Amino acid sequence: MSNLKLELAKKVKSSGCRLKRDLNTTQGMEASQYIDYYEHFHFEGMADNIILFPHFGKTRDPYLHNHNFFELFYVYKGSCLNILPEKEMVLSEGDFMLLNPNALHSPFTPSDENTIINIIIKPSVFEDVMLSLIADNKLFSNFFVNYLYHINMTSNYLYFPKDDEYPTKFIVDMLIKEYISHDICCTSVMQAILVKLFATLSRSYRKLNQEILDDTPKSQLVVDIIAYINQNISNVSLKSLSEQFQYSTSYISKIITNYTGKNFSDIVHFLRLNQSKKYLENKNLTINEITQMVGFSDANYFYKVFKARFHMSPSEYRKQIYVDLSAAK
């Protein structure tokens, strides 16, 4: 255990990333009925897509917090109390909790013998690579897609108690070893190990929650529709969705609205602006090219709606990206 502590601490330090905390008010949030303030955690200089952030011994945060990343919380040794706005959850050795960036929580480890491993995963990892790798794992793909595309049909977290029928510690040990070694193809290997871990956890979850999983066909259809929209954002239409999923345009429109609270046009508009932010990170693309790539026909309109949503113009956003990147180096 002492070697693990030393090696992980050394690896986190060498990565150059720094954990920052911003204190915010919960005014206007659902959590305001429970708490007045929360902290937002974010990493500066986080070059790796996946990092392992360990906690050893007694820890307690004064505020509940959320992040700008997904967190897979694993009790490697001992126990932990995870405090949520509406309740407290005791996690024992071998338990996992997966939290999306919105999830407010505060872990409390009461003993010097506790070891918690936080597996930190950038949202872009799922958008760019891992969603295709876990497409047939509906529990996890739904969880990530719901957050990434703002569908809001699932909880902000998933809890996995230890299950001896589906052992996971050896998988976590593989992940730790790969992370510390940082050998050739490390990122790809870590992603593959996570796919194995997600599959194992999903099989355990299915055994314990079969009734819940059996009641998801319509919500899964919505997730598939939203993913298709995002992948075909430049020219998607209700007609193309109807042809792809073999339902009428009126049914497609109705199920989108019923499950997301947004109509088709709102979803497309939202996702186009999200995609445009990614393209703006590529300085070789002109803003006129990006306008066409995400499906806006008029650059002036794109400027207008981008600024209304993000409170800065596309050019200002692009400039900010490169300022932030320079500061992180």
Side-chain angles (χ1 to χ4, degrees):
M1 184 59 67
S2 59
N3 287 339
L4 172 65
K5 180 177 181 179
L6 181 64
E7 291 296 326
L8 275 177
K10 186 190 301 183
K11 180 65 177 70
V12 171
K13 184 176 181 180
S14 68
S15 71
C17 63
R18 299 169 300 279
L19 183 64
K20 298 293 185 179
R21 304 171 178 231
D22 299 321
L23 187 63
N24 301 290
T25 175
T26 58
Q27 186 175 0
M29 298 173 61
E30 185 177 341
S32 62
Q33 60 183 305
Y34 304 105
I35 56 174
D36 295 321
Y37 295 96
Y38 73 99
E39 287 186 313
H40 178 70
F41 287 10
H42 58 100
F43 281 99
E44 288 187 351
M46 183 176 169
D48 295 330
N49 287 327
I50 304 168
I51 65 174
L52 272 58
F53 199 80
H55 292 286
F56 299 99
K58 293 181 181 179
T59 61
R60 182 160 196 171
D61 292 317
Y63 296 100
L64 271 69
H65 65 267
N66 61 12
H67 327 106
N68 65 341
F69 46 80
F70 289 99
E71 177 183 23
L72 184 58
F73 188 93
Y74 176 62
V75 184
Y76 193 91
K77 182 181 179 183
S79 63
C80 171
L81 178 67
N82 208 6
I83 303 169
L84 306 173
E86 71 282 6
K87 63 181 178 180
E88 298 179 354
M89 294 184 65
V90 176
L91 277 68
S92 302
E93 188 169 313
D95 291 356
F96 287 86
M97 180 175 279
L98 175 64
L99 304 112
N100 76 23
N102 289 332
L104 287 171
H105 64 288
S106 178
F108 168 53
T109 50
S111 167
D112 288 331
E113 301 302 315
N114 293 313
T115 301
I116 308 298
I117 305 295
N118 287 345
I119 302 168
I120 307 299
I121 312 168
K122 284 183 177 179
S124 58
V125 172
F126 295 97
E127 292 182 285
D128 299 339
V129 180
M130 287 199 63
L131 277 182
S132 62
L133 298 178
I134 61 171
D136 59 347
N137 184 338
K138 298 309 182 185
L139 176 66
F140 279 86
S141 61
N142 283 6
F143 182 82
F144 293 119
V145 167
N146 268 268
Y147 171 79
L148 293 171
Y149 302 150
H150 298 257
I151 305 176
N152 300 321
M153 291 191 303
T154 62
S155 170
N156 286 335
Y157 67 87
L158 292 171
Y159 168 63
F160 304 92
K162 181 181 178 181
D163 186 347
D164 291 334
E165 186 178 344
Y166 294 97
T168 53
K169 186 175 183 296
F170 78 97
I171 305 176
V172 176
D173 286 335
M174 288 170 54
L175 190 66
I176 292 171
K177 182 177 180 181
E178 189 64 36
Y179 179 68
I180 292 173
S181 74
H182 208 72
D183 208 339
I184 186 171
C185 301
C186 173
T187 298
S188 297
V189 173
M190 289 181 70
Q191 289 172 353
I193 294 171
L194 281 177
V195 171
K196 166 66 174 174
L197 179 58
F198 293 162
T200 303
L201 292 174
S202 186
R203 290 166 184 173
S204 173
Y205 191 93
R206 178 185 58 191
K207 181 182 73 173
L208 299 173
N209 302 276
Q210 188 61 56
E211 291 183 7
I212 296 173
L213 294 178
D214 284 344
D215 192 32
T216 59
K218 286 188 178 179
S219 61
Q220 179 59 45
L221 173 60
V222 176
V223 168
D224 292 343
I225 287 172
I226 301 299
Y228 181 86
I229 292 173
N230 197 57
Q231 293 161 7
N232 299 273
I233 198 64
S234 64
N235 58 3
V236 69
S237 66
L238 281 172
K239 182 180 179 181
S240 64
L241 288 173
S242 175
E243 292 171 352
Q244 174 68 22
F245 294 99
Q246 297 297 300
Y247 291 100
S248 68
T249 56
S250 59
Y251 181 79
I252 295 283
S253 178
K254 181 179 179 180
I255 197 172
I256 290 173
T257 302
N258 286 349
Y259 277 83
T260 70
K262 303 170 185 174
N263 62 36
F264 169 75
S265 297
D266 290 339
I267 292 283
V268 171
H269 184 84
F270 182 90
L271 295 177
R272 280 177 174 165
L273 289 174
N274 282 1
Q275 286 274 32
S276 70
K277 288 178 71 177
K278 293 182 190 177
Y279 289 137
L280 285 166
E281 295 174 11
N282 183 348
K283 60 184 178 182
N284 295 321
L285 294 173
T286 69
I287 291 177
N288 280 336
E289 287 173 332
I290 293 171
T291 301
Q292 297 297 318
M293 289 171 70
V294 298
F296 288 112
S297 57
D298 181 77
N300 290 330
Y301 177 70
F302 171 56
Y303 266 86
K304 179 180 177 181
V305 295
F306 189 97
K307 189 164 188 177
R309 165 104 177 263
F310 301 115
H311 308 294
M312 63 180 75
S313 71
S315 300
E316 290 168 337
Y317 177 76
R318 172 171 271 173
K319 183 178 179 181
Q320 183 189 70
I321 290 171
Y322 290 102
V323 168
D324 291 344
L325 287 175
S326 298
K329 290 179 180 178

